[in-house]
Amino acid sequence: MTAMTNEEIRQGLQQNRGLPHGAARNAQAEALTAAAEVSGDPALFRHALITQIDAYEYSAERTRMVIPFARLLQEYDRDPAAFDGSAAHSLFWRFKWVAGRIVESPEIPIETVTRWLDDMERRYRIAGYSERAVRQSEFYLAHATGDRERAERAIARWRAADRDAMSDCRACETHTQGWFWADRGEDAKAIEVWEPVLGGGQTCMEEPHRVLARSLLPLVRLGRADEARSHHLRGYRLARGKESLLRSLGEHIEFCALTGNEARGLEILSEHAVHLVPLADVDTQMEFLGGVLVLLGRLNRLGHGADLSVPYEGTPRTVDELYGILHGQALAIAARFDARNGSSRVSDELRERIGREPLLDVLPLGVRSAGLPRAVPVAPAPAVAPARPEAPGAGLDALVERARTARDSGHPGADALWAEVALRVRSLPEAEADPLVTADVADQQALAAARAGTKEAPRLLADVRDRYRALGRAERVALTELRLATVAAQSGEEPGRVRELLATALRAAEALDPAEPLRTRRIALAELSSMRVESYLRTVEATRTQDHEHGEEHGHEVLVAELGAFVAAYGPDLADLTAEAEEMLGRLALSAGDPDRALPLLASAAARVIEADRPWEAVDPLVLRAGVLVSLERPEEAEQAARSAVEHAAEIVDAEQQGTVRITLADVLLRRGSAAEAAEHALTAAHWFDQAGLTSEGGAQARLLLARAYAGEGRTADAAEVLQSTLADLLRHGEGQAVSARDFLGNLLRELRDARGAAEQFLLAAELVQGWEDPRPQAGFAQAAADCLSDAGLAEEAVAAYERALELRRLTGEAVVSEARILRSLAWLGLRETVTDATTAAARARMDEAAGVLEGALALDPEDPELRSELAQTWHQLAQVLDRRVSAELPDEDGNGDEDADGDEDGTLGAAGVEALRREEVGLWERAAALYRTLGTAYLQERFQCLNNAAWTDQELGRPAAGAARITALIEEVGALPEGTAPEWLLPQAERVVAHLTA
């Protein structure tokens, strides 16, 4: 291999610092260090060693930094004078890192670790540093060896020592000090200590990432599950994909395993399965594997030991296989630490962690996760078996009575009760089974088949009818006849046949003994069902005769009249059936475009069933009523209806209905500005839709609403995580929603400073709307993408996006302000790499073009405040462009630059050219300030900036008095304004400027 030149090594070291952290960066750093060692340049070798140490620090090979650091320390001892102040600081700063890494290396004996710490303490003392960093390192050693007393002494001295240049950042110190309390089981104290980091007051490269992960289980144990959920969403987003944060990723996986989110934990594990292999940093490996093993053990107990797989070293492994491999590896690492430390503490703590039981049955996280397949849980055998098993028939009569009561009242829990009855009946000897109970069980099963639309439903219902007939239960026969007619209609049988069955059902009801309590109800139910089915049949027949319009109109009128008569006839006696008729009338009114008629009907329907002690039947009309009220912009009434629906849904067991109720209330609350409460209901709605198997439908809508609620609360990271998890579902819900979802996500990512991610979403949204007749949406997305690409440093891509946005804006002829902003952005992008006469001229042309566009619009509307402020901003920015050109000409810190008075052909300005541009700058800032003045006190800040820039430029031109006069005039003007009109900082800052200029 050809030896690298010193310049190539320097370039390589510079490039290395820009690479992603990981094995590739480490390998390159090692190669560069080897090349630097033979280069004959000691300074370059030291630089390479520092680069190698830094590469290791933020990877899964942290412990490998010990060797390059030892070599760096040898260089220092050999020639301390070669280390200037900055280099010496770098050396001592990294001593702290190494002190932690040797504690985490089980192959390094405790005696050696102690000598390193003693050497660190000695060197720090000689260099004049506080003992704070030394005591922190001592705490790590005491904790690793299980010496609680020494750990407590060390942390006390650590806190007491002064902070200095060697102290870790406050966020990192807070992390460790909170961990000290969490390790002792004092969760509340740990959370209190961590609050500055959790609240955003203390941050660094790896915080709050680590503290968010550490806080998860303490928060759950404290009953603060909502905070734990948020910390998981925000924290995992920060830690995802970072191998230096494998401990934190293990903690997120463990949290999922212990809160009923095993599917989410498995997704995180699969995403980071590449790190399951043995690592150089065995302490990190053990911590990561500990969290993974908690999840794998939980999956095994849920019955998924053999039916799920995770890739391991390129080979899929079942949960049980992977558990066996990783369990052995983790305990082997723990044993190495125990052998070094002379105790079993590490192994004991690892076993305790792996064996932890769930803290919550389920904590909905809001994010979409693929559900686990159904499995038979692996449960431990009961400690004590019942001495006298309960007889199969014991309590059956009471259970049947409860089931019949629930059935007759339409209670949502009836199905579950009959399922239990069926289970109990099947366990009885055939001779002991009550024929009526058996018939009732068959009836419930036939009804379930009818609801599911199975082909077996008619046969099962006919069998039930015959059973009831044989038992003399005519009231049940009449009901079953009606169900047969309904099933026939649902299965598409000929209208004539369906009508025959309806007539049979009605005759069966009318033939009931007048003394039968259910006779009136059966007749009414047959009539109401006939109305509904007959309306459907009329539609079918109208379709066949191509008489859609007349058939629908006539059928609508007939059905409204029939339902009205039904309500009048049965209203006082059959509240639930009358409510059903009124709900149908309300829906018919809505279909006819008459919401004002629908609202009282829906309200009456809900009130009837609530009064009849069947509140669960009020849910549907209340949910519908809430939606209508929202459309009529009556949000307060809509909220009342939605809250009432949630209240009365308590006994509903249908998961989809529960989800619908809650998403309705969440939507209303979000519209009313109650984002926090909206988030609670949207989260619950998503959970219910998941339970109903509607994750991609209702679940996606609930998560979209949840993301919007989180965004409304300012929880941007939570919103982005939820939205990204369900984005694929939303993209399948039509082009309109796909565009909206990408736009929303793009704005969230932009707020999170993920410029590349945001640009991607805006570009994809622009692609979706490319075929739309209106070019404005595409222009908006192209411009937003360009802004983000520019922020991401992708100048070439940004220019292309801006040019496309400009083309589209000009097609509309309406977006003057947007056009001007695009032109200004293009001007600045042209100066990104070099500032020359040519690039400055191109930028000036763009700025002049922007000003021309705005001046043309102002000619048509001279008083438009937005156009005025944009024109002032354009002049301001043009002055800044010229200032950039002048700054590029002036001598730098090394004295390089051109001072030719007249300039030359190489593009230098010369003294005369510099003065001309400076004068032009002042004129532009004066014009901008004058225009801002016409816009009033709201633009005082912008006006001051212009006048301040002009004043300092005047000083450079040798006329400070002119600049001071402008600022003084502004001071007098602002001083005469009412108190509180101007920003508090403006007058003091302006007075300081005048003092400097007149000194």
Side-chain angles (χ1 to χ4, degrees):
M1 179 178 175
T2 305
M4 298 176 69
T5 66
N6 287 11
E7 183 57 31
E8 288 173 337
I9 296 171
R10 289 190 184 91
Q11 289 179 358
L13 293 171
Q14 180 64 31
Q15 292 170 356
N16 184 264
R17 291 186 175 276
L19 293 177
H21 293 288
R25 176 170 174 169
N26 295 349
Q28 187 192 62
E30 292 163 4
L32 291 168
T33 300
E37 187 174 12
V38 300
S39 69
D41 186 338
L44 184 60
F45 180 48
R46 294 192 295 271
H47 183 195
L49 287 170
I50 289 288
T51 300
Q52 186 178 352
I53 293 166
D54 290 355
Y56 287 144
E57 171 63 9
Y58 296 103
S59 74
E61 299 180 316
R62 280 178 162 171
T63 53
R64 297 181 63 186
M65 73 170 60
V66 176
I67 293 176
F69 180 80
R71 299 179 73 184
L72 184 64
L73 198 58
Q74 289 173 356
E75 290 291 310
Y76 178 80
D77 290 339
R78 184 179 60 80
D79 185 11
F83 287 70
D84 60 16
S86 175
H89 180 275
S90 295
L91 172 77
F92 284 106
W93 182 264
R94 285 157 182 79
F95 212 138
K96 299 182 307 175
W97 294 357
V98 175
R101 302 299 83 83
I102 59 176
V103 170
E104 295 167 355
S105 304
E107 66 276 6
I108 300 179
I110 291 296
E111 296 77 11
T112 302
V113 177
T114 301
R115 284 198 300 272
W116 270 88
L117 291 182
D118 290 344
D119 187 42
M120 177 185 176
E121 183 173 8
R122 178 183 64 81
R123 291 176 184 270
Y124 271 41
R125 186 169 58 251
I126 293 171
Y129 293 123
S130 161
E131 70 168 343
R132 190 177 183 92
V134 176
R135 300 285 78 84
Q136 180 178 351
S137 298
E138 182 187 1
F139 165 74
Y140 291 143
L141 174 59
H143 176 267
T145 56
D147 189 339
R148 292 176 65 91
E149 292 184 4
R150 185 180 183 185
E152 290 174 2
R153 289 196 306 272
I155 203 166
R157 292 178 66 185
W158 170 13
R159 291 200 203 100
D162 293 335
R163 287 187 56 82
D164 65 358
M166 283 300 113
S167 300
D168 265 358
C169 78
R170 293 185 183 275
C172 287
E173 286 197 340
T174 297
H175 163 233
T176 305
Q177 292 176 8
W179 161 48
F180 167 80
W181 293 106
D183 190 55
R184 281 154 178 72
E186 298 194 38
D187 293 331
K189 179 66 175 177
I191 298 298
E192 179 185 347
V193 171
W194 283 328
E195 185 52 41
V197 175
L198 296 174
Q202 297 176 0
T203 61
C204 71
M205 189 170 179
E206 291 190 335
E207 297 299 351
H209 318 37
R210 296 183 300 171
V211 169
L212 287 167
R214 290 269 189 193
S215 69
L216 294 172
L217 296 185
L219 285 169
V220 175
R221 288 192 291 262
L222 290 169
R224 295 161 65 174
D226 288 343
E227 293 172 74
R229 176 193 301 112
S230 179
H231 288 193
H232 168 66
L233 296 177
R234 188 157 55 106
Y236 178 60
R237 183 175 188 82
L238 293 170
R240 178 192 284 127
K242 295 181 173 64
E243 68 173 37
S244 65
L245 294 173
L246 285 178
R247 297 170 191 261
S248 298
L249 290 167
E251 288 165 335
H252 282 284
I253 291 171
E254 180 180 8
F255 163 77
C256 291
L258 300 180
T259 57
N261 291 287
E262 295 84 4
R264 167 78 166 173
L266 191 61
E267 289 175 359
I268 297 174
L269 171 57
S270 298
E271 192 173 350
H272 298 88
V274 66
H275 299 301
L276 291 175
V277 298
L279 305 174
D281 185 350
V282 295
D283 188 55
T284 292
Q285 181 185 0
M286 180 180 66
E287 292 290 336
F288 177 54
L289 295 186
V292 172
L293 287 166
V294 175
L295 172 67
L296 296 177
R298 179 68 185 147
L299 289 170
N300 170 272
R301 288 190 288 277
L302 291 173
H304 296 292
D307 62 3
L308 294 173
S309 65
V310 178
Y312 177 76
E313 293 189 326
T315 303
R317 302 280 188 170
T318 67
V319 165
D320 287 349
E321 288 172 342
L322 188 59
Y323 183 90
I325 295 169
L326 302 184
H327 188 266
Q329 289 181 3
L331 286 178
I333 295 171
R336 289 167 61 188
F337 278 106
D338 286 340
R340 182 193 71 171
N341 299 339
S343 72
S344 63
R345 185 189 65 83
V346 177
S347 295
D348 293 342
E349 289 184 355
L350 178 61
R351 288 192 179 91
E352 184 275 328
R353 181 185 185 187
I354 294 171
R356 286 174 182 168
E357 292 296 321
L359 297 172
L360 295 172
D361 291 335
V362 61
L363 172 62
L365 297 178
V367 289
R368 187 199 197 284
S369 290
L372 297 174
R374 292 186 179 276
V376 179
V378 178
V384 179
R388 295 181 179 177
E390 190 179 64
L396 179 58
D397 291 345
L399 178 62
V400 169
E401 186 61 31
R402 287 171 54 210
R404 285 173 176 159
T405 300
R407 178 193 66 190
D408 294 342
S409 66
H411 193 282
D415 288 347
L417 289 169
W418 282 113
E420 177 64 20
V421 170
L423 187 64
R424 300 279 286 276
V425 168
R426 280 197 297 270
S427 67
L428 289 172
E430 187 174 349
E432 296 182 19
D434 183 334
L436 180 56
V437 174
T438 304
D440 285 342
V441 169
D443 180 40
Q444 200 68 18
Q445 293 169 343
L447 179 58
R451 289 171 182 160
T454 66
K455 293 181 180 179
E456 294 295 308
R459 181 184 61 79
L460 294 174
L461 285 168
D463 176 65
V464 168
R465 176 197 59 196
D466 295 343
R467 289 191 188 207
Y468 280 136
R469 185 173 287 151
L471 292 169
R473 300 304 297 264
E475 83 286 356
R476 301 299 301 172
V477 172
L479 182 59
T480 310
E481 294 281 17
L482 185 58
R483 287 174 180 166
L484 279 165
T486 304
V487 167
Q490 291 172 343
S491 61
E493 287 202 31
E494 284 298 313
R497 174 58 180 160
V498 175
R499 290 188 175 103
E500 288 177 12
L501 292 171
L502 286 171
T504 299
L506 181 58
R507 285 196 299 271
E510 292 174 339
L512 291 173
D513 190 320
E516 167 58 54
L518 292 173
R519 183 175 184 275
T520 301
R521 181 176 186 82
R522 291 288 182 265
I523 293 172
L525 183 58
E527 291 176 355
L528 184 59
S529 298
S530 294
M531 293 175 201
R532 183 188 293 107
V533 173
E534 185 61 43
S535 174
Y536 163 73
L537 295 177
R538 284 195 293 265
T539 302
V540 171
E541 291 171 334
T543 301
R544 291 177 178 176
T545 59
Q546 302 297 312
D547 186 15
H548 299 289
E549 185 175 347
H550 179 267
E552 288 182 11
E553 183 179 346
H554 175 68
H556 183 279
E557 293 174 355
V558 170
L559 183 56
V560 168
E562 290 175 341
L563 290 170
F566 183 91
V567 170
Y570 295 106
D573 303 314
L574 299 172
D576 59 318
L577 295 181
T578 306
E580 187 176 344
E582 286 185 320
E583 183 179 344
M584 290 174 62
L585 282 168
R587 292 180 184 275
L588 288 168
L590 289 175
S591 68
D594 190 356
D596 290 332
R597 172 166 169 72
L599 287 173
L601 287 166
L602 296 172
S604 176
R608 286 182 189 275
V609 288
I610 291 170
E611 187 176 351
D613 200 24
R614 301 166 75 112
W616 51 87
E617 294 183 1
V619 171
D620 283 348
L622 286 170
V623 166
L624 182 57
R625 189 168 190 272
V628 175
L629 289 165
V630 166
S631 69
L632 295 176
E633 297 185 0
R634 292 160 62 178
E636 186 174 347
E637 294 172 82
E639 181 179 340
Q640 292 173 354
R643 285 192 184 281
S644 182
V646 169
E647 176 188 350
H648 296 307
E651 296 180 80
I652 289 178
V653 296
D654 181 78
E656 181 179 3
Q657 196 173 10
Q658 287 284 8
T660 300
V661 173
R662 281 161 176 77
I663 199 174
T664 301
L665 179 55
D667 182 39
V668 173
L669 290 169
L670 189 57
R671 291 171 185 270
R672 299 205 69 196
S674 302
E677 190 180 357
E680 293 177 15
H681 291 290
L683 179 69
T684 307
H687 173 70
W688 279 113
F689 283 127
D690 289 347
Q691 296 299 305
L694 298 170
T695 298
S696 300
E697 293 80 31
Q701 299 305 318
R703 288 183 172 87
L704 175 60
L705 197 59
L706 176 61
R708 294 196 183 283
Y710 280 158
E713 286 187 86
R715 296 166 59 177
T716 309
D718 294 12
E721 191 71 13
V722 169
L723 183 58
Q724 280 185 306
S725 77
T726 197
L727 183 63
D729 295 324
L730 294 171
L731 296 179
R732 292 192 290 268
H733 289 185
E735 190 175 70
Q737 182 151 89
V739 171
S740 176
R742 289 204 182 280
D743 181 28
F744 182 24
L745 180 56
N747 283 300
L748 290 174
L749 295 176
R750 179 156 55 179
E751 192 171 340
L752 292 170
R753 299 182 182 178
D754 181 358
R756 285 174 180 260
E760 179 185 10
Q761 294 304 319
F762 290 134
L763 288 171
L764 289 169
E767 186 177 326
L768 284 170
V769 303
Q770 193 168 2
W772 291 11
E773 184 177 346
D774 185 353
R776 286 176 295 182
Q778 188 184 358
F781 289 131
Q783 185 172 352
D787 291 340
C788 294
L789 290 167
S790 179
D791 291 342
L794 301 172
E796 187 175 340
E797 294 86 346
V799 168
Y802 276 129
E803 293 286 7
R804 178 58 177 155
L806 185 61
E807 177 186 350
L808 292 164
R809 291 294 188 196
R810 285 173 171 169
L811 282 176
T812 68
E814 302 173 356
V816 173
V817 170
S818 294
E819 189 177 341
R821 289 176 179 174
I822 292 171
L823 289 165
R824 294 200 303 253
S825 296
L826 285 168
W828 285 112
L829 283 169
L831 298 174
R832 183 158 245 167
E833 293 187 6
T834 58
V835 182
T836 64
D837 281 346
T839 58
T840 302
R844 179 197 284 269
R846 292 289 194 182
M847 289 291 182
D848 287 343
E849 190 177 358
V853 167
L854 293 165
E855 287 168 345
L858 276 168
L860 300 174
D861 188 2
E863 301 303 318
D864 188 303
E866 185 179 24
L867 292 174
R868 287 185 172 199
S869 68
E870 289 293 329
L871 180 57
Q873 182 63 220
T874 303
W875 288 336
H876 186 176
Q877 290 193 31
L878 176 55
Q880 291 175 313
V881 165
L882 301 180
D883 187 65
R884 282 281 300 277
R885 178 66 187 96
V886 172
S887 298
E889 189 76 11
L890 296 178
D892 58 24
E893 294 179 356
D894 297 323
N896 299 316
D898 186 88
E899 299 178 8
D900 190 304
D902 300 317
D904 58 33
E905 296 180 0
D906 295 330
T908 56
L909 293 172
V914 168
E915 182 176 354
L917 286 182
R918 287 297 194 205
R919 289 179 179 277
E920 187 176 358
E921 290 171 33
V922 172
L924 286 165
W925 276 317
E926 285 182 324
R927 289 171 67 191
L931 193 50
Y932 278 133
R933 184 176 186 178
T934 67
L935 294 170
T937 57
Y939 286 85
L940 274 174
Q941 178 174 341
E942 290 82 357
R943 186 177 162 202
F944 171 74
Q945 288 174 344
C946 291
L947 294 175
N948 181 58
N949 291 345
W952 288 111
T953 306
D954 270 329
Q955 185 189 46
E956 293 178 12
L957 289 168
R959 52 188 196 190
R966 289 193 199 89
I967 303 296
T968 300
L970 180 65
I971 291 172
E972 292 173 355
E973 180 184 333
V974 171
L977 293 173
E979 187 176 351
T981 302
E984 291 184 4
W985 56 266
L986 197 152
L987 277 178
Q989 179 67 19
E991 289 166 353
R992 283 194 293 272
V993 171
V994 171
H996 280 296
L997 292 173
T998 56

